[in-house]
Amino acid sequence: MAPRSFWKGYLKLSLVTCRVSMTPAVSESGKVRFHNLNRKTHNRVMSQYVDAVTGEAVEDEDQVKGYAKGEDDYVLIEDEEFDDVGLESTRTIDLSTFVPVESIGWIWYDRPHYLAPDDEVSAEAFAVIREAMAKTGTAGIARLVMYRRERAVLLIPKDKGIVVWTLRYGDEVRDADSYFHDVGKEKPSSQHLTMMKKLIGERTARWDPSMADDPVQDRLLDIIAARKKGKKVKKPAEPKQEAPSNVIDIMSALKKSLAAERKAPR
């Protein structure tokens, strides 16, 4: 059964509008989660906000966001004021700008969400917008209030639906030139490059979701299963790792790497 949508509203392109629903494309519900317990009593330990000066507990209704304008001096912002910011983009994704899909670097992508028509009446208009973007190789950019803040979002056609990516804010992405300006001045020899491409070719395979499996999660589940049965869990032996050394003879290293790849079982 498909997960419940967490947002419903409208997708709008000029005078074409349709009802849509959105669901996060990723989930952490399957992760192993733990509670913090009191080791002596096994009772759960609860967290609580306290006043930094008086040390007294502060109830939820007495908590408010504050922006520091000076030492111990704050501008208070109520929850209703957060909700009022960007009110027009709360329930409507207004596609006013389109860009080539490949023109936005992956570093700007934040959280993915699936967007689909919310009813049969909206299906045709939704399909027209999606297919037009797919045929032109473009993605739509809009503004939308999500997670209590207005954000730029990127809409990319995907199969029968659309993926909505929240985009990182401009001040969150650091300029790569500051880190890479001294890199790449040396050009590799054509011979080295050819052999490295062969080495990469030997290790190239089709993408499979299993490549992103979480071995720690699997190990934790094994530990929990063993503990339920009252069994002791042996600590796994640490794999032996040779300390990496600075490669001086690149050609020799490439030849050895290719020879090892060809001998390795497939």
Side-chain angles (χ1 to χ4, degrees):
M1 188 173 70
R4 293 178 58 186
S5 61
F6 87 119
W7 182 94
K8 289 190 176 185
Y10 298 89
L11 177 63
K12 180 175 181 288
L13 174 52
S14 188
L15 299 179
V16 179
T17 304
C18 59
R19 292 179 60 86
V20 290
S21 60
M22 192 188 317
T23 306
V26 295
S27 172
E28 294 188 352
S29 61
K31 289 292 184 184
V32 175
R33 298 188 182 280
F34 298 93
H35 296 293
N36 286 330
L37 305 178
N38 182 329
R39 185 186 295 275
K40 295 180 179 179
T41 66
H42 287 194
N43 295 331
R44 288 182 60 182
V45 176
M46 308 298 292
S47 60
Q48 191 175 39
Y49 283 100
V50 299
D51 189 298
V53 176
T54 67
E56 296 180 357
V58 182
E59 300 299 328
D60 290 347
E61 61 268 20
D62 294 325
Q63 297 174 25
V64 64
K65 296 289 191 297
Y67 177 82
K69 64 178 182 179
E71 188 173 355
D72 297 327
D73 189 10
Y74 300 89
V75 176
L76 304 184
I77 306 293
E78 300 292 341
D79 287 345
E80 295 79 8
E81 294 177 283
F82 279 107
D83 293 337
D84 290 340
V85 175
L87 190 60
E88 293 181 0
S89 60
T90 302
R91 289 297 168 196
T92 301
I93 305 174
D94 190 355
L95 292 172
S96 57
T97 305
F98 293 87
V99 298
V101 173
E102 70 278 1
S103 66
I104 298 186
W106 61 267
I107 200 168
W108 291 95
Y109 289 41
D110 186 23
R111 296 185 188 180
H113 309 76
Y114 292 139
L115 190 73
D118 194 42
D119 52 45
E120 292 184 7
V121 176
S122 301
E124 183 178 3
F126 180 89
V128 170
I129 295 173
R130 181 200 65 225
E131 284 302 303
M133 287 195 294
K135 296 294 185 184
T136 56
T138 56
I141 292 182
R143 309 287 305 183
L144 185 64
V145 175
M146 296 178 67
Y147 307 109
R148 303 296 298 275
R149 295 188 68 178
E150 184 176 81
R151 313 178 66 96
V153 293
L154 182 72
L155 282 74
I156 301 177
K158 169 68 174 174
D159 299 330
K160 296 181 180 180
I162 293 174
V163 176
V164 178
W165 283 91
T166 54
L167 296 178
R168 301 186 189 279
Y169 294 104
D171 57 1
E172 291 180 335
V173 178
R174 293 175 175 172
D175 184 9
D177 290 342
S178 302
Y179 302 90
F180 300 148
H181 66 281
D182 289 333
V183 179
K185 292 182 178 180
E186 304 82 8
K187 289 187 177 181
S189 73
S190 59
Q191 191 175 12
H192 289 171
L193 192 57
T194 298
M195 294 185 71
M196 184 61 77
K197 287 164 67 177
K198 286 182 179 179
L199 184 57
I200 292 174
E202 293 281 349
R203 297 189 173 201
T204 299
R206 290 184 62 85
W207 160 256
D208 188 284
S210 63
M211 295 177 180
D213 281 350
D214 184 354
V216 174
Q217 170 97 348
D218 295 337
R219 177 63 181 160
L220 284 172
L221 290 172
D222 290 341
I223 292 174
I224 292 170
R227 290 286 176 82
K228 283 181 178 179
K229 297 178 181 178
K231 296 180 180 179
K232 291 185 178 181
V233 182
K234 292 183 180 180
K235 184 178 179 181
E238 294 186 5
K240 295 181 179 180
Q241 295 183 345
E242 295 182 3
S245 59
N246 292 327
V247 178
I248 304 300
D249 188 348
I250 297 178
M251 179 60 73
S252 175
L254 285 169
K255 287 180 178 179
K256 289 180 181 178
S257 297
L258 283 170
E261 286 295 318
R262 289 172 184 139
K263 291 179 181 179
R266 297 293 177 185

